[in-house]
Amino acid sequence: MQRYLAGLLGCLCLPSCLTAEFSTVRASLPLAEASIHRIEAGMDLQNCLDILGAPTSVRRADDGWRTVISWEWLIAQGYGVSFSVPIADQASASADYGSNLQDLQQFRIFFNAEYKVVEISKDGLR
């Protein structure tokens, strides 16, 4: 009986399809924690750029008088597995499982009109 079930299971698996997918995406490099901790209120723009390098965005803050310089980076990872078995001429049974993780990080520095640091925001940093 066991040989019969094993043979039947083997026959069912022959036309089946198993796929797996793994992916990792990085957009920009994360800032070094040691560099982030060196930024202090009152520093000027040039000192900040010397420590952190080029930002990913520069914009005017919502209040209209401050400038915001941001460094953003994204790390996305995912995997997926799917299994499909034909059960008739134009029908099949399938099962899928997967996971996607996205981690967007941001470090912002707010400057006053004289380009001195007035606020530091570590939103999204862990």
Side-chain angles (χ1 to χ4, degrees):
M1 183 65 163
Q2 289 178 342
R3 295 175 95 188
Y4 174 75
L5 288 176
L8 180 61
L9 181 61
C11 289
L12 288 175
C13 290
L14 285 177
S16 65
C17 179
L18 175 66
T19 59
E21 176 185 9
F22 304 93
S23 64
T24 299
V25 175
R26 290 181 186 262
S28 296
L29 293 174
L31 293 174
E33 287 290 326
S35 298
I36 290 172
H37 293 298
R38 291 177 54 195
I39 304 301
E40 299 174 352
M43 290 180 84
D44 68 3
L45 174 62
Q46 187 61 53
N47 286 342
C48 293
L49 294 177
D50 290 343
I51 293 169
L52 299 173
T56 53
S57 70
V58 178
R59 66 176 178 84
R60 182 68 63 190
D62 293 338
D63 59 22
W65 64 272
R66 296 184 301 172
T67 301
V68 183
I69 298 182
S70 301
W71 288 260
E72 293 104 9
W73 58 95
L74 170 71
I75 300 172
Q77 299 175 338
Y79 67 90
V81 177
S82 67
F83 180 74
S84 177
V85 177
I87 54 175
D89 274 345
Q90 296 182 0
S92 63
S94 62
D96 299 315
Y97 180 77
S99 175
N100 288 313
L101 302 171
Q102 292 187 3
D103 188 19
L104 176 64
Q105 301 282 321
Q106 182 179 48
F107 179 70
R108 296 180 296 169
I109 303 174
F110 294 78
F111 294 89
N112 62 15
E114 290 81 37
Y115 293 101
K116 301 287 185 186
V117 175
V118 293
E119 184 181 339
I120 299 168
S121 174
K122 299 177 182 177
D123 295 342
L125 291 178
R126 294 184 184 142

